[in-house]
Amino acid sequence: MSNARFGMVFSTTEDSHYFYDSGTGKVVSCNTQEKKFLEDILNNKISLKEACENNQEFAVLISEEKLFACPEEREFLIPSKEEFEELITGHCEQIILEVTEACNLRCEYCIYHEHHPEFRGFSNRNMTKEVALRSIDNVLRSYKKDRFALTFYGGEPLINYQLIKESILYTQKKYPNIKLDISFTTNLTLLRKEMIDFFKSLDNVYILCSLDGPKDFHDKYRKYVNGNGTFEEAIKGIQLLREHFYFEGDEEHTFAINCVVTPPYSKKNLDRLEYFFREELKLPKDVSVSYSYLDRGQMQVDLGSSGLIADDIGGKLEASPIEEWALDKIIKKEERQEELFSIISQDMLRVAKRLRADDGLIEKTYFHGNCVPGQRRIYVNVDGTYKVCERIGASPTLGNHISGYDIDKIYKEYYKDYVEYFKRICKNCWAQPMCSICYERTMDKDGIKKDVPDSVCMGSRRLIRDAFISYYRLYEMDREKLEETLQKYEKARKEAEGIRQYEVYGESL
């Protein structure tokens, strides 16, 4: 029997080591000799029984603290079929309408290229008014809350701007008692003054703008169909937003930047991105910039001689170079601490709010990083098919704009089949209580993939380990400041996104 499920050892410095116990969620510190001893147990170089017989102090500790007692099998926390139907009926808080499959760009890393075969390709198909309005009605006719998010996606959604406008006006008129949050993602090149005037006339509009940094960074991948770069037109779009849509302190009309950081990942490149957005572009402080990783799929990327991650990034984290860059700048107390912390805040909250069972064992765990399909959001593609979200390519449908949700199909494929598949995989994994993989990585059009790649689980474990290392580096530096900052971010997340909150058992170490 594998001992790997009992936990993992991680280090913040050469002399500072910790053990995460997956049975209780506790974290205990250890010295270098103890670290080696624990690793030998976890790697099955020594049995747990033999370790206890040879080290009485260790045997007493794990008995008193209930360490190394992780159950071989744990149940996933999932609703019954009846509870699931109740969860989604009248509770879906966001509809994302794929108003077009067309795009005026051909960004070389786009998921709709052939190097991402699990996603659809480019086309000129647009969503019809009937599909859009009927989908909105399906969600809102029994809606039980007073605030709802209406989101538009593509392709480039502004190609079908007329449908966006009609959908908003229709929803406002038919559901006047529901406060709408309007949002869309855009490449900025089609944004015009008349569009901005319309969005400015609405309450609560959020625009996410794709901009990958200075011209040589941005134009490397973000190109028109003819191969020309799009930087100049994207910058014109940003200028229009600043002049006619946004002003500092206006919380109802906001925009943000999403920057796809392409490899090789290096401190030099990340520093240059930060300088561009804040010093050259001079974005206001309350316009957030998020850095996201390139989803390479089967795409070939020229990494030069440095590899995927350059040596200058630090090297403490296995799979999180952007987070390591931000953490290093936080520890060095460089400027823009709040903005830097936002890059790692989700990971820090995951560790701080992890499952804990101080007086027993964690017998049930979260359903990985999966959402409740169709509850918080629903994605409607151009032909009216319902999907879980915009990030998932080929995956089982949830229903359609004609018949609505298919409860039986959803529950079987997204719950019963999922549990049956993963209960055998997760029983030997220490990361199960904190695993963040979601349907995006495990589904294809027929349901759970017949053979989910080992890399999916390995990647999840690396990211969790990285999160623990980052958290405890900050914990060692200033525990009170870390807790104070996390409380602020947790409150902001609850107010802004209504994200599922993690249940807490006792205090974190």
Side-chain angles (χ1 to χ4, degrees):
M1 183 183 298
S2 173
N3 290 336
R5 75 177 191 278
F6 289 129
M8 65 98 184
V9 176
F10 63 96
S11 305
T12 55
T13 67
E14 290 185 3
D15 301 314
S16 183
H17 315 291
Y18 299 89
F19 168 66
Y20 164 71
D21 181 75
S22 65
T24 63
K26 296 176 182 178
V27 172
V28 295
S29 60
C30 54
N31 59 35
T32 302
Q33 184 178 357
E34 292 166 338
K35 170 180 178 286
K36 175 65 168 59
F37 178 65
L38 293 170
E39 287 177 334
D40 284 347
I41 298 173
L42 297 174
N43 293 325
N44 283 88
K45 293 182 178 179
I46 179 174
S47 70
L48 185 60
K49 180 181 179 182
E50 184 181 358
C52 291
E53 290 174 347
N54 296 339
N55 190 325
Q56 190 61 36
E57 185 178 350
F58 173 73
V60 171
L61 173 66
I62 68 169
S63 176
E64 291 179 346
E65 297 293 333
K66 296 183 173 60
L67 306 178
F68 281 88
C70 172
E72 186 172 354
E73 291 190 15
R74 292 187 278 208
E75 293 183 44
F76 285 115
L77 289 164
I78 65 171
S80 67
K81 184 178 174 182
E82 293 72 23
E83 289 170 334
F84 168 68
E85 186 169 6
E86 175 62 26
L87 281 170
I88 65 173
T89 303
H91 291 94
C92 180
E93 299 174 349
Q94 180 185 27
I95 188 168
I96 305 171
L97 300 177
E98 183 187 53
V99 293
T100 183
E101 289 183 347
C103 188
N104 60 325
L105 271 59
R106 288 296 182 270
C107 304
E108 293 182 4
Y109 53 63
C110 182
I111 58 175
Y112 300 127
H113 272 299
E114 62 277 0
H115 46 61
H116 283 75
E118 69 275 22
F119 288 86
R120 64 160 174 83
F122 294 104
S123 85
N124 291 319
R125 292 201 307 164
N126 288 331
M127 178 178 283
T128 66
K129 185 176 178 179
E130 178 193 1
V131 168
L133 303 190
R134 189 158 186 170
S135 297
I136 291 169
D137 284 337
N138 282 347
V139 174
L140 291 184
R141 68 165 58 98
S142 60
Y143 192 54
K144 299 175 181 178
K145 301 182 181 181
D146 59 5
R147 189 160 188 164
F148 184 76
L150 184 56
T151 301
F152 303 97
Y153 197 78
E156 167 51 47
L158 292 180
I159 285 176
N160 202 356
Y161 166 71
Q162 188 58 37
L163 181 60
I164 293 175
K165 185 174 181 179
E166 290 177 350
S167 298
I168 294 170
L169 295 176
Y170 172 84
T171 308
Q172 285 180 324
K173 182 177 180 180
K174 188 164 184 179
Y175 304 96
N177 295 325
I178 296 177
K179 187 173 184 179
L180 290 179
D181 293 304
I182 309 297
S183 62
F184 62 93
T185 301
T186 178
N187 62 39
L188 294 162
T189 62
L190 300 180
L191 199 59
R192 299 293 181 263
K193 172 70 163 51
E194 57 271 24
M195 298 177 182
I196 293 177
D197 289 342
F198 171 67
F199 294 125
K200 183 69 174 179
S201 71
L202 306 170
D203 297 331
N204 305 306
V205 180
Y206 172 82
I207 303 174
L208 182 61
C209 308
S210 299
L211 184 65
D212 286 357
K215 181 177 174 59
D216 55 328
F217 281 36
H218 181 92
D219 282 351
K220 184 176 181 180
Y221 292 102
R222 299 192 64 81
K223 301 175 181 179
Y224 286 114
V225 176
N226 64 10
N228 292 335
T230 62
F231 179 78
E232 281 81 5
E233 288 75 14
I235 292 299
K236 289 177 183 177
I238 292 289
Q239 292 169 342
L240 280 172
L241 289 173
R242 295 186 65 171
E243 292 173 9
H244 304 288
F245 177 76
Y246 159 90
F247 66 88
E248 192 169 354
D250 180 5
E251 297 180 357
E252 292 192 346
H253 302 94
T254 57
F255 75 95
I257 305 293
N258 179 58
C259 172
V260 176
V261 184
T262 55
Y265 302 107
S266 71
K267 181 179 184 298
K268 177 182 177 182
N269 287 345
L270 289 164
D271 283 345
R272 188 172 174 208
L273 286 171
E274 181 188 35
Y275 184 85
F276 168 77
F277 286 118
R278 295 308 175 191
E279 302 300 333
E280 295 181 22
L281 205 55
K282 297 189 182 300
L283 288 176
K285 192 165 68 172
D286 57 348
V287 173
S288 66
V289 178
S290 60
Y291 299 101
S292 58
Y293 291 99
L294 171 68
D295 181 356
R296 290 190 292 166
Q298 300 174 12
M299 176 185 177
Q300 299 299 310
V301 180
D302 181 12
L303 302 177
S305 60
S306 61
L308 184 66
I309 303 174
D311 291 339
D312 69 350
I313 209 76
K316 291 186 176 65
L317 307 184
E318 291 184 7
S320 311
I322 298 176
E323 287 77 5
E324 182 157 345
W325 166 78
L327 181 64
D328 187 57
K329 293 171 84 70
I330 291 171
I331 290 174
K332 291 177 180 177
K333 301 186 184 303
E334 296 190 16
E335 294 181 358
R336 304 189 182 97
Q337 290 280 298
E338 186 172 335
E339 184 174 317
L340 289 165
F341 193 88
S342 68
I343 295 173
I344 62 171
S345 61
Q346 186 173 346
D347 287 342
M348 299 303 92
L349 283 168
R350 186 196 302 182
V351 175
K353 301 301 179 184
R354 68 189 182 273
L355 278 172
R356 291 282 302 269
D358 289 336
D359 298 324
L361 295 174
I362 301 170
E363 302 287 351
K364 297 183 179 183
T365 66
Y366 299 126
F367 198 46
H368 292 161
N370 297 312
C371 61
V372 176
Q375 182 198 36
R376 212 182 116 207
R377 64 171 63 177
I378 187 171
Y379 182 72
V380 185
N381 67 16
V382 290
D383 63 11
T385 300
Y386 291 178
K387 307 295 281 290
V388 173
C389 78
E390 72 281 5
R391 295 187 303 160
I392 300 180
S395 60
T397 64
L398 306 185
N400 58 64
H401 72 292
I402 301 296
S403 56
Y405 288 123
D406 187 337
I407 300 295
D408 291 340
K409 181 175 184 291
I410 300 171
Y411 194 77
K412 178 185 183 299
E413 295 180 320
Y414 284 91
Y415 281 108
K416 292 182 68 176
D417 292 353
Y418 192 100
V419 169
E420 187 64 27
Y421 182 90
F422 276 99
K423 69 180 182 181
R424 63 181 174 82
I425 293 177
C426 297
K427 68 179 184 179
N428 289 321
C429 182
W430 60 264
Q432 182 181 350
M434 296 184 66
C435 185
S436 61
I437 63 171
C438 79
Y439 296 125
E440 175 194 10
R441 306 296 307 278
T442 60
M443 289 283 193
D444 60 24
K445 63 181 178 62
D446 298 317
I448 297 295
K449 294 177 180 177
K450 292 181 180 179
D451 186 18
V452 175
D454 291 340
S455 60
V456 172
C457 295
M458 291 172 59
S460 178
R461 286 191 287 267
R462 286 198 298 267
L463 291 172
I464 295 169
R465 178 182 176 274
D466 284 358
F468 271 106
I469 293 172
S470 298
Y471 181 91
Y472 280 92
R473 285 178 69 189
L474 292 179
Y475 180 93
E476 292 167 351
M477 185 176 73
D478 192 334
R479 173 179 178 175
E480 290 186 1
K481 179 66 178 297
L482 174 60
E483 292 176 347
E484 176 186 327
T485 305
L486 284 174
Q487 287 177 3
K488 182 181 69 173
Y489 272 88
E490 185 177 20
K491 181 180 179 182
R493 281 166 57 105
K494 285 181 180 179
E495 292 174 349
E497 301 180 28
I499 292 177
R500 177 195 72 179
Q501 297 305 306
Y502 293 100
E503 187 176 358
V504 187
Y505 295 83
E507 295 181 356
S508 300
L509 174 65

